């Protein structure tokens, strides 16, 4: 995605990242910074994850991003009241001057280091070719996030965007990372997090000038980007709603991991799910531990569409779908790379045609990032876990450049930024 020397990119307005006054926890007013952070809202597994985080610290950010109340409207009102109370009490305070923020994550094993820059990015339509989505979104989720952002007048967590840089911004990031950080903490997953601010006008200008020549791919946060677009349309420009909080990572310097997002089918026992696919897919029972089952899935995925079903104490590998079945069920109006995606076959063939499960109904289907948690929930609830093999990043980028969106929840890029380290209040 490096746009150097690309005439179309130089004519098009690129990424416009602006400084903002970050809203951050006062470490003297909370138990620990790690105890008030959370994964992004859609990674927190309800209700276990919410309850766990709420009990970690009375000021955990989950009380803002996933407020628990009797109705959705009561929840958003509660989040707004909580945010304003924390500001009044000095739990959350705004930094004295606007800046961009360098954010670093690394695992405890020293195998992964990711750095990027957090700022307020000008919101743009996909047709502008500046920020490229690669997944479809679910309207109820966008409506839910929009209600929360309206009520709080804040961007509570940054989206994760990637771009292919030429090293200019990465060099500044690495220079800044040699300085003492604003904060440093290690979360319970073993990841260490550090944050710095860039307020020097010369450094800010170099970052902004460099990014203006690039486009970005939404790695994580399609629903929040769609929310930014909706809220921008509701407010006459210019306004703070013209911008949204993002983390930009140069994957030429810091490659991301791409993982799958799994499905949990409520009310569909494994035996029934398997009965429906007999004769349409090859089915093999695997009485092996989860890692061995995932290895078998990876091998099968090299040859074509493959999925693991779980929930009855075993794993069932289904692969080699009947070509006639795919011809009847997969739309033929998009590129071959899209038609052969596992997520496409799952949604168009298995969910829509074989199992007849509505993909946007929380009563019928849940989308879960953690593999073991998906299996455990299926076994506990009597449903079916559908485990996916991750798609390659280059496939995602190629389809996004063509303007082709993948089925919803097709990928999980990471590591994702921790929520709660820096917020953007639109009235600060």
């Amino acid at each position: 995605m490096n746009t150097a020397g690309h005439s179309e990119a130089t004519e098009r307005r690129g990424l416009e990242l602006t400084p903002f006054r970050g809203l951050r926890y006062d470490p003297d007013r909370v138990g620990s910074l790690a105890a008030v952070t959370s994964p992004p809202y859609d990674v927190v597994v309800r209700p276990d994850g919410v309850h766990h985080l709420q009990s970690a610290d009375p000021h955990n950010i989950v009380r803002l991003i996933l407020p628990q109340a009797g109705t959705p409207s009561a929840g958003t009102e509660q989040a707004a009241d909580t945010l304003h109370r924390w500001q009044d009490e000095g739990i959350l305070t705004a930094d004295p001057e606007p800046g961009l923020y360098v954010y670093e994550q690394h695992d405890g094993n020293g195998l992964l280091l990711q750095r990027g820059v957090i700022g307020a990015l000008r919101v743009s339509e996909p047709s502008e070719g500046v920020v490229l989505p690669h997944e479809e979104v679910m309207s109820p989720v966008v409506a839910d996030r929009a209600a929360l952002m309206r009520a709080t007048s804040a961007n509570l967590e940054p989206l994760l965007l990637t771009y292919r840089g030429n090293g200019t911004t990465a060099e500044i990031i690495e220079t800044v990372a040699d300085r003492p950080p604003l904060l440093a903490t290690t979360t319970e997953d073993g990841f260490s997090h550090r944050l710095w601010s860039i307020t020097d006008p010369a450094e800010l200008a170099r970052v902004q000038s460099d990014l203006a020549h690039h486009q970005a791919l939404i790695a994580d946060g399609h629903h929040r980007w769609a929310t930014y677009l909706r809220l921008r349309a509701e407010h006459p420009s210019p306004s703070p709603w013209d911008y949204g909080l993002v983390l930009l990572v140069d994957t030429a310097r810091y490659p991301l991991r791409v993982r799958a997002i799994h499905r949990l089918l409520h009310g569909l026992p494994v035996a029934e799910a398997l009965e429906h696919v007999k004769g349409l897919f090859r089915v093999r029972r695997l009485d092996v531990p989860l890692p061995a089952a995932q290895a078998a899935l990876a091998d099968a995925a090299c040859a074509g569409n493959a999925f693991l079903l779980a929930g009855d104490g075993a794993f069932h590998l289904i692969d080699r779908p009947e070509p006639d079945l795919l011809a009847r069920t997969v739309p033929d109006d998009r590129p071959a790379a899209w038609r052969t995606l596992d997520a496409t076959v799952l949604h168009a063939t298995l969910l829509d045609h074989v199992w007849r499960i509505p993909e946007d109904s929380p009563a019928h289907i849940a989308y879960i990032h953690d593999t073991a948690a998906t299996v455990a929930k299926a076994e506990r609830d009597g449903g079916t876990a559908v485990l996916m093999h991750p798609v390659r990043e280059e496939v995602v980028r190629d389809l996004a450049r063509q303007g082709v969106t993948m089925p919803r929840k097709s990928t999980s890029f990471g590591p994702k930024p921790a929520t709660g380290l820096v917020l953007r209040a639109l009235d600060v």
Side-chain angles (χ1 to χ4, degrees), residues 91-106:
I91 304 297
L92 289 167
T93 60
D95 284 331
E97 57 182 321
L100 299 176
Y101 294 83
V102 169
Y103 175 48
E104 175 192 273
Q105 297 162 275
H106 67 86

Side-chain angles (χ1 to χ4, degrees), residues 162-401:
T162 72
Y163 71 103
R164 301 288 292 178
N166 56 17
T168 301
T169 295
E171 289 173 3
I172 298 171
I173 286 174
E174 287 160 14
T175 298
V176 172
D178 285 334
R179 303 168 187 166
L182 293 174
L183 64 85
T185 190
T186 301
T187 46
E188 64 179 5
D189 59 4
F191 270 83
S192 296
H193 308 261
R194 295 197 294 171
L195 192 76
W196 299 260
S197 63
I198 305 176
T199 57
D200 177 75
E203 290 180 331
L204 288 172
R206 283 188 65 199
V207 171
Q208 291 176 302
S209 175
D210 177 45
L211 294 176
H213 298 288
H214 295 284
Q215 61 180 180
L217 175 75
I218 301 176
D220 185 68
H222 284 80
H223 289 90
R224 283 166 284 165
W225 186 258
T227 300
Y228 290 167
L229 285 166
R230 176 178 294 190
L231 295 174
R232 183 189 66 168
E234 294 175 2
H235 296 83
S237 186
S239 83
W241 298 98
D242 292 341
Y243 297 82
L245 188 64
V246 305
L247 165 65
L248 277 164
V249 174
D250 178 358
T251 53
R253 185 67 65 96
Y254 300 106
L256 270 67
R257 298 180 307 197
V258 186
R259 292 178 171 172
I261 301 176
H262 310 296
R263 276 66 170 163
L264 175 61
L265 309 182
H266 305 299
L268 180 67
V270 174
E272 185 177 341
L274 291 170
E275 185 64 30
H276 284 297
V277 301
K278 281 183 179 177
L280 302 175
F281 286 73
R282 181 175 68 168
V283 180
R284 288 177 286 168
R285 179 186 174 101
L286 306 176
D287 290 300
V288 297
L290 176 58
Q294 289 180 289
L297 174 62
D299 289 342
C302 293
N305 301 117
F307 311 90
L308 274 179
L309 305 188
D312 62 351
F315 296 99
H316 306 270
L317 180 63
I318 66 172
D319 64 352
R320 298 187 183 179
E322 288 294 318
D324 288 347
L325 173 68
L326 299 183
R328 292 197 316 270
T329 57
V330 176
D332 61 1
D333 59 346
R334 300 187 206 182
W338 180 88
R339 298 197 305 271
T340 55
L341 287 170
D342 286 340
T344 297
V345 173
L346 172 63
H347 284 259
T349 303
L350 284 169
L351 293 181
D352 292 352
H353 180 78
V354 176
W355 293 325
R356 300 191 181 281
I357 293 175
E359 62 183 23
D360 57 354
S361 169
H364 293 88
I365 186 170
Y367 299 84
I368 305 177
H369 294 71
D370 185 85
T371 310
T374 311
V375 175
K377 282 182 171 291
E379 292 180 346
R380 184 173 67 232
D381 302 340
T384 295
V386 183
L387 306 183
M388 311 279 288
H389 184 66
V391 65
R392 300 191 316 277
E393 182 179 356
E394 56 265 31
V395 173
V396 177
R397 289 188 181 278
D398 183 57
L399 287 172
R401 287 196 187 102

Side-chain angles (χ1 to χ4, degrees), residues 30-32 34-37 49-63 188:
V30 297
S32 74
V36 295
T37 63
V50 174
H51 294 159
H52 171 72
L53 291 166
Q54 284 182 332
S55 63
D57 189 282
H59 301 108
N60 189 282
I61 193 70
V62 78
R63 297 180 184 274
E188 64 179 5

